[in-house]
Amino acid sequence: MAASRAPTTPPAAAAAADGGIEENAMAILDSSGIKDSRDLHDDRAAFLEAVRSACLAADNPSAPSWRMYDGVFQVLRNSSSLELAVASFHLLMDLGKQYPRTYLTDSDGHQSLVVVKESWLPFLIGNGSRSSEMGGTARISDHLFDPSRFSLLIEAMVEPTNPTDDNNGIKAIENMMLFQYLVNTLEADFVPRHIAYKKSPDWVIFRESLLNMLLGSRKLVFKSFVKDCMYLLLNQFHPEAKDAVEGSIPSEGEAKSASDMDSSLNYLLLESERTLVSLRKLFVMVMELDLIRKEADTLGLTSRADGFRHPIMEVILDELTYNISYLSPFLLAFMEWKWKLEIILQYFSKYCGKGAVRTRRSDNSQQDLKLGSVLSFFSTTTSAKAIVKKMGTEVAQHLLAHAYQVCLSVQSDSSDSTATTEKIGASLQEISCNFISAFQNLRKVAPNIQISPFEKEALFTAATLSRKLKNEER
């Protein structure tokens, strides 16, 4: 996601939309006394269209007020139809792009981070007071997401869904869209901060980020939250899904056609894939945040007030270690190459390296394993046998095959792959030859071990590339 730019409407205007526009829009949403569900549906649809017209489509659009933004979010939370769910989700996404809460401004070649703290948020973090417009914190808490409710949303999504039950199916889609929107909100706050941090490292930039405050809350049991996210990732992953789903959001056409679908099954599958994309984004953001927190710890920039939370990588590795059946499907579903390789290398480090003791103020990154070093542990039958005794042949094969996949992907995609290339620590030809050698030695250690189709494909590719690269050298 690209960093948010300064909104077209100044922050002062963003704080409150034109009073007449707001009152007209909110009057449409006021359903007091309405009993018929069709009338309620029509009023909500009209409200969404009124907000879109006033805040996005007008010649001189006005920024939505707190109440208007909140009203759109409540429609998403209680949509009761696919049409309203998709339309409100799409509107929230568009409003977020047009009126970002966190963005960067350029002044004389210098970028500054701007946070419009009075803007509406779907989260309830800190003291719980977001606005006086609604007349009290208790009413706000009914629909905004505090850390506990965010965790409960993940739990609800993990529960099996019966797509033949219309109400059950619509609620499942609504929950997935809510999750996608919440992750998008976290990302829109995170990305500008990340850019600003690279220019001027300052832990305060991330201490005040929505993601850090959300995950650092005592209301959220972080380990359980990560485990639920991992389980959801495995449930949502469908290998046959098309890449076109990546980064896409429902269009207006989809919003209109959704209500005419005979079954929500196909749409449920589509939203499952979009939710998978959001899950990956969430994992990567937390990993990036943990890396920045580690740097801040090393430099002595954090304090006890920042609290303590286990790094997400530790939780993931523990879960993959104790639930080996999760290992291969998780690595198949998690396609972010840099962090996928990091997970694999840290998994190997539990068994292959002596592992230096890391303290809060130390940096032992120079002792981190590289893939080239890992492959050397399988260079002979004796060394391969020693590793297999600790982690098992099947696990070693899975990890090596996925690590080789990362190498191939980095080779074909040169965008921002410097750090990953350093972690590989050898040329593609060296990696290919050593990868084949490692599997040959593993086969000698365990002659009857089965090789999965994924691993066979990796071996075939390695053999083909190895011959090709050798011929090119001649």
Side-chain angles (χ1 to χ4, degrees):
M1 174 182 170
S4 301
R5 297 181 179 179
T8 55
T9 305
D18 178 83
I21 295 176
E22 177 187 344
E23 290 305 317
N24 291 338
M26 297 310 298
I28 298 173
L29 191 61
D30 185 4
S31 60
S32 58
I34 295 178
K35 303 294 184 181
D36 188 81
S37 60
R38 184 69 238 180
D39 289 341
L40 182 59
H41 178 279
D42 291 345
D43 280 356
R44 288 175 173 177
F47 167 72
L48 296 178
E49 185 57 36
V51 174
R52 177 172 290 281
S53 297
C55 303
L56 296 172
D59 293 335
N60 295 305
S62 301
S65 68
W66 197 97
R67 291 177 62 208
M68 292 167 71
Y69 232 135
D70 197 60
V72 177
F73 186 68
Q74 289 195 60
V75 172
L76 175 58
R77 283 217 62 190
N78 305 284
S79 53
S80 72
S81 76
L82 286 175
E83 181 182 356
L84 288 176
V86 177
S88 55
F89 170 77
H90 194 81
L91 179 55
L92 285 168
M93 297 288 280
D94 288 345
L95 290 174
K97 292 177 183 177
Q98 184 76 5
Y99 308 102
R101 177 180 181 270
T102 306
Y103 57 91
L104 295 168
T105 58
D106 290 312
S107 178
D108 298 326
H110 177 70
Q111 286 189 324
S112 299
L113 183 70
V114 178
V115 182
V116 186
K117 294 186 177 180
E118 65 271 20
S119 294
W120 178 87
L121 273 176
F123 293 105
L124 197 66
I125 303 174
N127 60 13
S129 179
R130 300 301 315 169
S131 172
S132 60
E133 288 185 287
M134 297 298 288
T137 302
R139 188 175 176 185
I140 294 175
S141 300
D142 287 340
H143 54 276
L144 298 184
F145 278 73
D146 65 4
S148 176
R149 180 169 285 157
F150 186 57
S151 183
L152 289 174
L153 176 63
I154 302 296
E155 290 182 21
M157 293 167 65
V158 167
E159 303 244 339
T161 301
N162 179 12
T164 60
D165 183 335
D166 288 343
N167 291 331
N168 191 294
I170 291 173
K171 187 62 182 176
I173 292 172
E174 180 185 293
N175 283 342
M176 285 188 280
M177 287 184 171
L178 273 170
F179 176 73
Q180 293 167 41
Y181 174 64
L182 294 174
V183 171
N184 182 79
T185 301
L186 294 173
E187 185 185 31
D189 178 74
F190 187 90
V191 172
R193 292 177 187 272
H194 201 194
I195 295 173
Y197 181 84
K198 287 180 179 179
K199 298 287 185 181
S200 178
D202 183 354
W203 168 240
V204 175
I205 293 175
F206 277 102
R207 175 187 287 154
E208 298 175 352
S209 68
L210 293 179
L211 184 64
N212 185 61
M213 292 190 291
L214 182 74
L215 300 182
S217 171
R218 293 181 179 179
K219 293 182 179 180
L220 186 144
V221 182
F222 185 70
K223 284 189 176 182
S224 297
F225 172 77
V226 174
K227 290 178 182 179
D228 285 339
C229 285
M230 289 180 67
Y231 189 71
L232 185 60
L233 185 76
L234 300 179
N235 282 352
Q236 301 294 106
F237 178 61
H238 302 282
E240 72 280 3
K242 295 182 180 180
D243 292 338
V245 173
E246 287 279 344
S248 64
I249 60 173
S251 65
E252 288 296 339
E254 287 177 295
K256 292 176 181 177
S257 63
S259 61
D260 299 326
M261 296 178 69
D262 295 330
S263 169
S264 61
L265 179 59
N266 291 333
Y267 207 81
L268 188 65
L269 178 60
L270 182 63
E271 289 308 317
S272 293
E273 295 305 320
R274 289 171 174 150
T275 300
L276 176 62
V277 175
S278 294
L279 277 165
R280 290 170 178 161
K281 287 181 179 180
L282 181 60
F283 275 119
V284 170
M285 281 192 291
V286 181
M287 289 173 182
E288 292 282 3
L289 178 63
D290 287 347
L291 181 61
I292 292 168
R293 170 64 186 264
K294 178 185 172 183
E295 293 174 353
D297 283 345
T298 302
L299 296 172
L301 301 178
T302 57
S303 65
R304 289 185 178 180
D306 289 301
F308 173 79
R309 172 176 61 78
H310 287 282
I312 189 173
M313 191 70 72
E314 288 185 10
V315 182
I316 290 174
L317 288 170
D318 285 345
E319 193 67 9
L320 295 180
T321 301
Y322 293 116
N323 293 283
I324 295 177
S325 60
Y326 286 4
L327 183 61
S328 185
F330 180 83
L331 292 176
L332 284 171
F334 193 74
M335 302 300 292
E336 280 62 32
W337 308 124
K338 171 186 173 182
W339 294 108
K340 181 171 182 172
L341 182 59
E342 186 65 27
I343 291 171
I344 293 170
L345 292 178
Q346 289 203 28
Y347 197 109
F348 272 120
S349 70
K350 294 164 70 76
Y351 301 96
C352 298
K354 294 181 179 179
V357 177
R358 300 185 183 217
T359 63
R360 189 167 180 262
R361 298 287 188 237
S362 68
D363 180 11
N364 297 298
S365 57
Q366 71 274 12
Q367 299 186 30
D368 288 345
L369 277 178
K370 294 182 179 180
L371 180 56
S373 302
V374 169
L375 288 170
S376 69
F377 291 119
F378 297 88
S379 59
T380 67
T381 306
T382 302
S383 59
K385 186 175 183 179
I387 298 300
V388 166
K389 280 185 177 180
K390 299 176 183 177
M391 66 189 312
T393 308
E394 186 177 344
V395 171
Q397 288 184 169
H398 284 329
L399 293 173
L400 291 175
H402 282 283
Y404 188 68
Q405 179 197 41
V406 173
C407 295
L408 296 176
S409 301
V410 171
Q411 183 74 13
S412 61
D413 182 10
S414 59
S415 61
D416 194 29
S417 61
T418 303
T420 309
T421 302
E422 291 176 356
K423 284 286 186 179
I424 293 172
S427 67
L428 182 59
Q429 181 178 345
E430 292 172 323
I431 293 295
S432 298
C433 292
N434 292 338
F435 174 69
I436 295 170
S437 176
F439 263 75
Q440 289 173 341
N441 288 324
L442 286 171
R443 194 63 183 266
K444 293 174 183 177
V445 172
N448 298 322
I449 190 68
Q450 295 294 317
I451 300 179
S452 70
F454 177 79
E455 293 157 4
K456 288 180 181 178
E457 183 179 352
L459 281 171
F460 176 80
T461 304
T464 304
L465 268 177
S466 181
R467 287 193 299 268
K468 179 183 176 183
L469 293 172
K470 284 180 180 179
N471 289 333
E472 289 177 355
E473 284 184 349
R474 295 172 183 173

